[in-house]
Amino acid sequence: MEPTFSIIAPIFNEECCLDELYRRISEVMDQTHEPWELVLVNDGSRDASPEIIRSLAAADKRVRPVMFARNFGHQIAVTAGLDYARGQAVIIIDADLQDPPEVMLEMISKWREGVEVVYAVRADREGETWFKKLTAALFYRIIFSITDVKIPMDTGDFRLMDRKVVNVMKTMREHHRFLRGMSAWVGFRQEGVTYNRAARFGGETKYPFRKMLKLALTAITGFSYFPLQLATYLGFITAGLAIIAIPVVAIFRALQSQAFFGQASTLIAVLFLGGVQLISLGILGEYIGRIYDEVKGRPLYIVSEDPENFHSDDQIKNQGEFS
Ligand code: UDP
Ligand code: MG
């Protein structure tokens, strides 16, 4: 039977949290009295996570493991989860229990009222550094101001999406993915629920500053041309300055002033313009690199074991035993 609800959890070295994740999710989801499944996407973990996922799946058929051939990153792991999910409503949740599973019930009741995307807004974040909170706050405000898509502030990937929305998202195969932006972009009826983001149940963050920066760049390039237009604006500004500078310098010369003589002023102007040009080239490079990735058309992820195989292997084994 097709489940009503699919819960997707991306997993990268989360051995600390998986048993507790399963326990808390089943406790909450059993309260709905409807069939559900838990899609655990193992994103190339190098700890005991794969074994724990397999044993959870062996004990409970509702747990469906998707095993990646290597680490493809959080956004891709969630994408695979969306591809494999079969539910009428699909919920994305972090595996470290920072997103309290209890909030899912609130999301589900909104979904029953007809809301098609229920995103969770972080009212408070426990156990995170001021640096993470500050950069996150800044990030959401920049994205909000330079993109046309109105991405809700302070939301993560913790959200419920109706099957209709998931089907649309499944057709969007871009390689550099910013899922919360994509799920805002599709439209439909969207509403938020607020929650307090808990501290990690165990282990440590898998999102160092480097990865956060990469995600920010994906979000900006994926939803805005602003950085490209920046070169045009800067070009106009410097050309404007040069046009003003010509008569000013001419007047100073006519008055026999010593201003604007010498190498220093020339050097500053050349270095400034050189810098602006290199930055503009770099921005162009970011977009071209992304175009190149799209053109190659490689698969988004490679699965070494999918849930179909996992449970059918099981069936073959069982049949073997019975015959
Ligand atoms: N994650 C993943 N692949 C990665 C990095 C992270 O699947 O390459 C998963 C991770 O296991 C967790 C979720 O993405 O379930 C969010 O990561 P994390 O909690 O480390 O991020 P933070 O909450 O610190 O921003
Ligand atoms: Mg976390």
Side-chain angles (χ1 to χ4, degrees):
M1 189 172 57
E2 298 285 284
T4 313
F5 302 108
S6 297
I7 295 111
I8 299 170
I11 291 150
F12 181 53
N13 298 343
E14 302 285 8
E15 57 184 4
C16 54
C17 312
L18 289 176
D19 286 322
E20 181 67 8
L21 178 77
Y22 169 74
R23 192 188 65 75
R24 293 261 302 270
I25 286 183
S26 30
E27 201 176 277
V28 168
M29 291 312 290
D30 284 343
Q31 294 173 36
T32 63
H33 303 291
E34 289 199 55
W36 55 271
E37 64 175 6
L38 175 60
V39 182
L40 295 177
V41 186
N42 172 36
D43 186 13
S45 300
R46 289 182 283 266
D47 63 355
S49 302
E51 286 72 48
I52 302 174
I53 294 172
R54 283 201 192 91
S55 69
L56 286 172
D60 186 343
K61 282 259 152 76
R62 295 174 300 184
V63 176
R64 302 176 64 222
V66 180
M67 301 291 189
F68 276 5
R70 65 167 168 86
N71 178 257
F72 281 90
H74 168 231
Q75 299 285 300
I76 301 288
V78 173
T79 304
L82 292 176
D83 292 341
Y84 282 98
R86 297 171 303 184
Q88 286 311 304
V90 178
I91 301 172
I92 302 165
I93 193 167
D94 277 0
D96 58 1
L97 291 162
Q98 281 198 283
D99 306 329
E102 293 69 31
V103 178
M104 297 195 299
L105 292 178
E106 244 178 284
M107 292 177 165
I108 288 169
S109 75
K110 275 219 185 263
W111 175 67
R112 291 201 202 284
E113 289 164 19
V115 183
E116 285 142 327
V117 176
V118 189
Y119 52 86
V121 185
R122 300 157 177 179
D124 191 26
R125 293 167 149 225
E126 279 173 39
E128 284 185 304
T129 60
W130 64 267
F131 182 72
K132 178 131 191 170
K133 286 185 207 174
L134 179 77
T135 45
L138 213 79
F139 166 66
Y140 287 113
R141 271 134 201 101
I142 292 173
I143 300 283
F144 195 81
S145 58
I146 67 170
T147 60
D148 300 332
V149 188
K150 287 306 154 222
I151 299 165
M153 296 269 184
D154 304 317
T155 58
D157 288 317
F158 187 25
R159 61 188 59 227
L160 177 150
M161 293 188 282
D162 185 79
R163 172 51 48 193
K164 278 192 289 231
V165 177
V166 174
N167 284 346
V168 176
M169 297 269 290
K170 280 169 74 173
T171 64
M172 298 159 73
R173 304 311 285 179
E174 59 225 62
H175 283 69
H176 296 271
R177 304 172 78 79
F178 183 59
L179 289 166
R180 45 203 106 145
M182 290 162 65
S183 106
W185 182 84
V186 296
F188 292 99
R189 207 177 136 194
Q190 311 218 355
E191 269 177 41
V193 293
T194 52
Y195 78 110
N196 287 334
R197 191 156 161 88
R200 258 184 168 270
F201 178 73
E204 51 190 51
T205 178
K206 312 297 178 311
Y207 258 96
F209 186 63
R210 179 179 48 83
K211 274 197 203 169
M212 276 169 47
L213 210 63
K214 204 171 146 210
L215 185 68
L217 216 62
T218 299
I220 292 170
T221 51
F223 289 92
S224 169
Y225 297 131
F226 181 74
L228 288 174
Q229 293 162 336
L230 213 58
T232 319
Y233 300 145
L234 283 173
F236 274 114
I237 292 170
T238 46
L241 279 176
I243 287 172
I244 298 168
I246 293 167
V248 171
V249 171
I251 291 168
F252 274 114
R253 291 285 160 88
L255 298 176
Q256 312 270 302
S257 158
Q258 291 299 306
F260 304 111
F261 268 99
Q263 289 179 346
S265 43
T266 320
L267 201 64
I268 290 170
V270 169
L271 283 181
F272 173 75
L273 263 184
V276 167
Q277 284 171 348
L278 286 178
I279 293 171
S280 309
L281 260 182
I283 293 173
L284 260 182
E286 284 296 330
Y287 281 86
I288 292 175
R290 279 151 215 272
I291 298 170
Y292 183 48
D293 280 339
E294 298 302 336
V295 170
K296 279 189 283 192
R298 291 190 183 160
L300 289 182
Y301 53 84
I302 299 160
V303 160
S304 60
E305 252 173 84
D306 69 21
E308 272 60 56
N309 286 341
F310 188 87
H311 289 301
S312 64
D313 273 1
D314 223 37
Q315 269 168 10
I316 294 165
K317 256 189 263 147
N318 286 344
Q319 279 164 7
E321 275 163 25
F322 289 128
S323 59

